């Protein structure tokens, strides 16, 4: 079925690209984007800058490959039972209670095939980059279907690859929303070619991307209904989208864990409902508290406006003029604007990518009605500037949360925080032998930026704090190994609150473990490896003692 979907849909809908004229530029731009993302993202991973979510998804794939569908001890560390009630993370915890993502199984054969050649996290980097790149190719084919000028689809596709909301999420840890652009554009192509069987198959896969993916598909259905292109299909799509979002979040996900109501709804929509509120409760609150909804929609005004301008920028602000873009992007924008949290209005995180497909499709529809604007040289120059400026901003912004360009741009100017590429690689070379000492079937606890490196195993938890887990028998166990990267913590503690707060916690954690049956078996360049049930290596312990004292003095200066 997977092979059939790939060959039939991509073959019939995308058609054959010719290597002449705009198509040659298309393949060049697509390849350049793909190489650009892969080059820096692989460097980010191999120099220990991919982080927790990369480890979560890798462990989910790794467990699923071994028949333990969607289980993840790392996901369990974020559950309400662990965070609120203090229970130990469970290796049998299924992530479906936090995010319902069955479409990920579509890529499990790919993961299984290539994870025997590459590490699991590296496979996911390639998979995400190729999915996003394929979304650009599908966008080009969709633009070709509507537009007669041979070069206009290329400009729209170049805008996609230069979008802040594409570059930022492409440089992030693996995420499920990376499937959305490809699925959305193929859906529209199926609708245009009246391939309804393929449409509904892709629609089902699109719903399965994430529990809230139906919000974006509702916007597409609304457009098909209002535009009268396919009113019955649009009405059905709207109904199925609403039913799916409410049914999955209120009925199916609670079967796996109570996290959707006890934690995630509270984090995003706690201002509307009390503790334990469901998606249906949130929807009813939207109806009964319209003034609060209106206030959340427009505030903060500056960040909301900046977010919209950033989304429109690569398309020379054309989506702001497209009624279809507003109609289709309205539902996902509404979901983001009425939610709370630091990331909902960030263009460089994964949530922003959910808004990209309807905006670009709406722009295509606008260009279909105004093709003469493309013949104006002044407008093309402005558009080219917008594309370049968006690419620059996207690359710079990606360095902020994801630290992709940590070796090119300082993470902080005051105080100065900068790590050169040779220095980081030197650190990696010294850390690799520590990681190599951990057996592949051993349970591990690690600091955040080492989680992906050790995530292809049954039991992984995160420091600080996490040295216990529940095994398959439900018994609480201590981890066999703990590995910490104090070099990373020391470098970033002067400027960043997370690392500054973790510094004393990690030092205390190491002391506690040394006094409770763990031995410090290796120490190198700030890397600390502890093993349960063995004595400490005298040489490693002698190296660590003065280093620990120096780090405590650093913390005292930072707190002074």
């Amino acid at each position: 079925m997977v092979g059939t979907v790939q060959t039939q849909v991509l073959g019939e809908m995308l058609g054959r690209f010719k290597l002449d004229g705009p198509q040659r530029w298309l393949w060049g731009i697509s390849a350049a984007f793909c190489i650009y993302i892969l080059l820096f993202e692989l460097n980010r991973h191999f120099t220990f800058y991919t982080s927790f979510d990369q480890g979560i998804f890798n462990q989910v794939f790794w467990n699923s490959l071994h028949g333990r569908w969607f289980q993840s001890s790392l996901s369990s560390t974020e559950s309400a039972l662990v965070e609120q009630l203090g229970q130990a993370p469970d290796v049998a915890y299924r992530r479906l209670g936090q995010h319902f993502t069955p479409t990920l199984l579509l890529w499990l054969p790919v993961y299984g095939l290539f994870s025997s050649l590459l590490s699991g996290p590296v496979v996911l980097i390639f998979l995400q980059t190729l999915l996003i790149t394929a979304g650009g190719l599908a966008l080009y084919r969709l633009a070709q279907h509507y537009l007669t000028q041979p070069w206009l689809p290329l400009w729209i596709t170049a805008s996609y690859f230069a979008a802040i909301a594409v570059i930022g999420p492409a440089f992030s840890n693996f995420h499920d929303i990376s499937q959305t652009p490809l699925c959305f554009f193929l859906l529209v192509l199926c609708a245009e070619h009246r391939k309804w069987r393929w449409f509904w198959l892709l629609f089902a896969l699109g719903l399965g991307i994430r529990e809230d993916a139906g919000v974006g598909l509702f916007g597409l259905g609304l457009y098909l209904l209002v535009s009268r292109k396919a009113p019955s299909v649009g009405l059905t799509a709207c109904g199925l989208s609403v039913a799916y979002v409410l049914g999955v979040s209120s009925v199916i996900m609670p079967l796996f864990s109570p996290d959707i109501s006890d934690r995630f709804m509270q984090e995003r929509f706690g201002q509307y409902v009390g503790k334990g509120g469901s998606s249906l409760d949130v929807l009813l609150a939207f109806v009964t508290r319209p003034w609060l909804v209106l206030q959340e929609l427009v505030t903060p005004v500056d960040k909301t406006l900046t977010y919209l301008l950033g989304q429109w920028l690569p398309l020379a602000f054309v989506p702001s003029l497209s009624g279809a873009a507003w109609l289709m992007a309205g539902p996902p924008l509404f979901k983001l604007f009425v939610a709370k949290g630091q990331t909902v209005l960030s263009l460089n995180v994964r949530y922003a990518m959910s808004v990209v497909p309807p905006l670009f499709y709406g722009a295509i529809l606008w260009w279909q009605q105004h093709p003469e604007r493309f013949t104006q040289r002044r407008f093309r120059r402005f558009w080219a500037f917008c594309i370049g400026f968006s690419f620059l901003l996207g690359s710079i912004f990606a360095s902020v949360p994801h630290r992709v360009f940590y070796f090119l741009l300082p993470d902080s100017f005051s105080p100065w925080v900068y790590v050169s590429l040779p220095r980081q690689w030197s650190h990696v070379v010294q850390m690799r032998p520590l990681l190599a000492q951990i057996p592949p079937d051993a349970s591990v606890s690690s600091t955040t930026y080492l989680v992906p490196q050790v995530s292809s195993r049954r039991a992984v938890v995160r420091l600080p704090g996490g040295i216990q887990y529940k095994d398959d028998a439900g018994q609480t166990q201590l981890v066999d190994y703990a590995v910490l990267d104090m070099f990373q913590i020391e470098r970033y503690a002067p400027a960043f609150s997370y690392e500054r707060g973790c510094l004393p916690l990690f030092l205390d954690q190491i002391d506690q473990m040394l006094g409770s049956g763990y031995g410090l078996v290796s120490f190198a360049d700030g890397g600390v490896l502890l093993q349960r049930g063995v004595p400490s290596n005298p040489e490693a312990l002698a190296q660590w003692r003065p280093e620990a004292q120096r780090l405590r003095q650093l913390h005292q200066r930072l707190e002074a």
Side-chain angles (χ1 to χ4, degrees):
M1 173 61 73
V2 174
T4 302
V5 171
Q6 292 173 335
T7 56
Q8 289 290 330
V9 176
L10 291 177
E12 293 183 17
M13 297 299 100
L14 295 182
R16 293 184 177 181
F17 288 110
K18 299 178 181 179
L19 292 178
D20 59 350
Q23 287 79 13
R24 183 174 298 176
W25 278 93
L26 169 71
W27 288 108
I29 292 173
S30 302
F33 173 84
C34 190
I35 293 171
Y36 175 66
I37 298 297
L38 283 175
L39 179 64
F40 289 103
E41 188 67 357
L42 288 172
N43 177 76
R44 175 174 173 256
H45 173 72
F46 286 120
T47 55
F48 302 157
Y49 277 91
T50 51
S51 55
F52 192 62
D53 281 1
Q54 190 79 10
I56 286 181
F57 278 100
N58 180 60
Q59 193 184 37
V60 166
F61 272 99
W62 186 87
N63 271 319
S64 297
L65 191 64
H66 291 81
R68 300 182 285 260
W69 308 107
F70 294 99
Q71 292 183 5
S72 171
S73 60
L74 289 169
S75 286
S76 181
T77 64
E78 294 191 318
S79 66
L81 292 176
V82 174
E83 290 199 343
Q84 298 175 10
L85 300 181
Q87 296 187 14
D90 192 343
V91 298
Y93 177 88
R94 297 188 190 275
R95 189 174 182 270
L96 296 174
Q98 294 179 3
H99 294 294
F100 196 74
T101 56
T103 298
L104 286 178
L105 292 181
L106 192 67
W107 313 110
L108 189 59
V110 177
Y111 178 88
L113 176 63
F114 290 101
S115 60
S116 61
L117 304 173
L118 304 168
S119 69
V122 172
V123 174
L124 296 186
I125 290 173
F126 275 92
L127 176 60
Q128 176 160 286
T129 304
L130 292 174
L131 282 171
I132 296 172
T133 304
L137 296 174
L139 171 64
Y140 179 85
R141 185 65 186 90
L142 179 62
Q144 269 192 324
H145 176 79
Y146 280 97
L147 307 174
T148 57
Q149 295 99 328
W151 290 95
L152 185 50
L154 180 67
W155 280 67
I156 293 174
T157 307
S159 301
Y160 169 85
F161 287 130
I164 302 171
V166 171
I167 295 175
F171 274 137
S172 72
N173 298 318
F174 185 86
H175 56 91
D176 34 41
I177 303 176
S178 60
Q179 306 165 94
T180 299
L182 176 61
C183 182
F184 186 96
F185 296 136
L186 289 178
L187 260 176
V188 178
L189 279 168
C190 287
E192 288 300 325
H193 289 278
R194 321 303 281 185
K195 302 284 186 177
W196 297 118
R197 290 184 179 179
W198 291 114
F199 176 90
W200 290 116
L201 174 60
L202 283 168
F203 188 86
L205 292 174
L207 288 174
I209 289 176
R210 193 177 159 97
E211 70 279 356
D212 56 359
V215 176
L217 294 177
F218 178 87
L220 176 60
L222 191 62
Y223 169 73
L224 294 175
L225 174 64
V226 173
S227 67
R228 309 298 295 174
K229 281 196 171 186
S232 60
V233 172
L235 182 62
T236 304
C238 288
L240 289 175
S241 297
V242 173
Y244 183 86
V245 171
L246 294 178
V248 165
S249 59
S250 300
V251 179
I252 297 179
M253 293 177 67
L255 297 176
F256 297 99
S257 74
D259 291 316
I260 184 66
S261 57
D262 288 356
R263 185 181 160 222
F264 290 93
M265 282 294 176
Q266 291 299 307
E267 290 179 356
R268 293 302 185 200
F269 303 105
Q271 68 271 44
Y272 302 103
V273 295
K275 185 176 181 180
S278 67
S279 57
L280 183 59
D281 294 326
V282 173
L283 187 61
L284 292 175
F286 289 162
V287 177
T288 58
R289 306 180 69 182
W291 291 112
L292 178 59
V293 173
L294 182 61
Q295 177 184 339
E296 293 287 343
L297 272 175
V298 299
T299 58
V301 176
D302 55 339
K303 290 185 177 180
T304 301
L305 182 58
T306 302
Y307 183 88
L308 289 173
L309 292 174
Q311 289 280 13
W312 298 334
L313 174 63
L315 287 163
F317 305 99
V318 162
S320 65
L321 306 175
S322 171
W326 282 106
L327 186 65
M328 288 183 287
L333 283 173
F334 177 86
K335 182 196 70 175
L336 292 174
F337 288 170
V338 299
K340 63 178 180 178
Q342 295 181 347
T343 59
V344 292
L345 293 180
S346 296
L347 287 165
N348 48 14
V349 298
R350 59 189 181 274
Y351 307 114
M353 184 171 275
S354 63
V355 185
V356 168
L359 289 181
F360 274 77
Y361 182 36
I364 291 173
L365 296 172
W366 185 89
W367 278 110
Q368 185 185 32
Q369 300 297 322
H370 306 85
E372 73 284 351
R373 295 297 301 271
F374 189 66
T375 62
Q376 300 173 9
R377 179 175 297 181
R378 180 177 297 179
F379 183 82
R380 291 201 306 273
R381 287 178 177 174
F382 173 68
W383 192 357
F385 169 79
C386 290
I387 291 175
F389 189 47
S390 179
F391 178 82
L392 178 63
L393 290 179
S395 298
I396 293 175
F397 286 167
S399 186
V400 177
H402 312 309
R403 292 174 176 167
V404 179
F405 302 107
Y406 65 89
F407 56 94
L408 295 176
L409 300 171
D411 286 280
S412 172
F413 288 93
S414 181
W416 180 260
V417 175
Y418 171 74
V419 182
S420 69
L421 192 60
R423 180 64 185 93
Q424 186 64 22
W425 272 105
S426 173
H427 174 63
V428 170
V429 169
Q430 296 178 73
M431 282 289 297
R432 285 294 178 190
L434 272 71
L435 297 173
Q437 295 179 52
I438 304 174
D441 58 347
S443 55
V444 184
S445 184
S446 81
T447 49
T448 295
Y449 288 95
L450 293 179
V451 164
Q453 313 295 328
V454 297
S455 58
S456 295
R457 64 187 70 238
R458 185 67 171 146
V460 190
V461 292
R462 178 169 58 169
L463 292 168
I467 61 171
Q468 292 183 326
Y469 69 97
K470 288 184 180 179
D471 61 17
D472 285 296
Q475 300 299 313
T476 300
Q477 306 286 351
L478 292 171
V479 295
D480 299 319
Y481 290 84
V483 58
L484 303 90
D485 188 354
M486 300 304 294
F487 171 86
Q488 189 271 340
I489 296 296
E490 178 187 358
R491 289 296 179 274
Y492 289 91
F496 297 94
S497 59
Y498 173 78
E499 283 81 3
R500 187 164 56 254
C502 283
L503 180 56
L505 295 178
F506 288 153
L507 293 171
D508 291 343
Q509 184 102 57
I510 293 172
D511 287 344
Q512 292 170 8
M513 295 179 73
L514 288 175
S516 57
Y518 284 84
L520 197 156
V521 294
S522 290
F523 174 75
D525 197 33
V528 179
L529 179 64
L530 300 110
Q531 182 179 354
R532 182 166 61 92
V534 301
S536 294
N537 180 319
E539 181 180 352
L541 188 61
Q543 292 174 340
W544 166 246
R545 292 299 188 192
E547 182 71 6
Q549 182 63 29
R550 187 182 64 82
L551 292 175
R552 288 197 182 277
Q553 292 172 355
L554 170 64
H555 176 252
Q556 292 172 1
R557 292 196 302 270
L558 293 176
E559 293 298 310

